[in-house]
Short mmCIF file of all heavy atoms in Angstrom, two decimals:
data_model
loop_
_atom_site.label_atom_id
_atom_site.label_comp_id
_atom_site.label_asym_id
_atom_site.label_seq_id
_atom_site.Cartn_x
_atom_site.Cartn_y
_atom_site.Cartn_z
N CYS A 63 -7.63 -186.17 -33.22
CA CYS A 63 -7.03 -187.05 -32.21
C CYS A 63 -6.71 -188.44 -32.78
O CYS A 63 -7.34 -188.89 -33.73
CB CYS A 63 -7.98 -187.23 -31.04
SG CYS A 63 -8.49 -185.71 -30.24
N GLU A 65 -7.40 -191.32 -31.48
CA GLU A 65 -8.53 -192.25 -31.35
C GLU A 65 -9.45 -192.17 -32.56
O GLU A 65 -9.90 -193.17 -33.10
CB GLU A 65 -9.37 -191.93 -30.10
CG GLU A 65 -8.62 -192.00 -28.80
CD GLU A 65 -8.08 -190.64 -28.36
OE1 GLU A 65 -7.34 -190.00 -29.14
OE2 GLU A 65 -8.39 -190.23 -27.23
N ARG A 66 -9.74 -190.92 -32.99
CA ARG A 66 -10.64 -190.76 -34.13
C ARG A 66 -9.97 -191.17 -35.43
O ARG A 66 -10.62 -191.72 -36.31
CB ARG A 66 -11.17 -189.33 -34.20
CG ARG A 66 -12.37 -189.12 -33.27
CD ARG A 66 -12.86 -187.71 -33.31
NE ARG A 66 -11.96 -186.84 -32.57
CZ ARG A 66 -11.80 -185.54 -32.79
NH1 ARG A 66 -12.46 -184.96 -33.76
NH2 ARG A 66 -10.96 -184.84 -32.05
N PRO A 95 -9.24 -189.87 -23.29
CA PRO A 95 -9.88 -189.39 -24.52
C PRO A 95 -10.69 -188.11 -24.27
O PRO A 95 -11.34 -187.97 -23.23
CB PRO A 95 -10.80 -190.55 -24.91
CG PRO A 95 -10.21 -191.75 -24.25
CD PRO A 95 -9.63 -191.25 -22.96
N CYS A 96 -10.65 -187.21 -25.24
CA CYS A 96 -11.43 -185.97 -25.14
C CYS A 96 -12.91 -186.26 -25.37
O CYS A 96 -13.29 -187.37 -25.76
CB CYS A 96 -10.90 -184.95 -26.15
SG CYS A 96 -11.42 -185.28 -27.85
N CYS A 99 -13.90 -187.56 -28.95
CA CYS A 99 -13.57 -188.98 -29.17
C CYS A 99 -14.52 -189.88 -28.39
O CYS A 99 -14.93 -190.94 -28.89
CB CYS A 99 -12.12 -189.26 -28.78
SG CYS A 99 -10.94 -188.52 -29.94
ZN1 ZN B 1 -10.02 -186.78 -28.85
#
Side-chain angles (χ1 to χ4, degrees):
C63 303
E65 300 94 304
R66 277 179 285 154
C96 76
C99 290

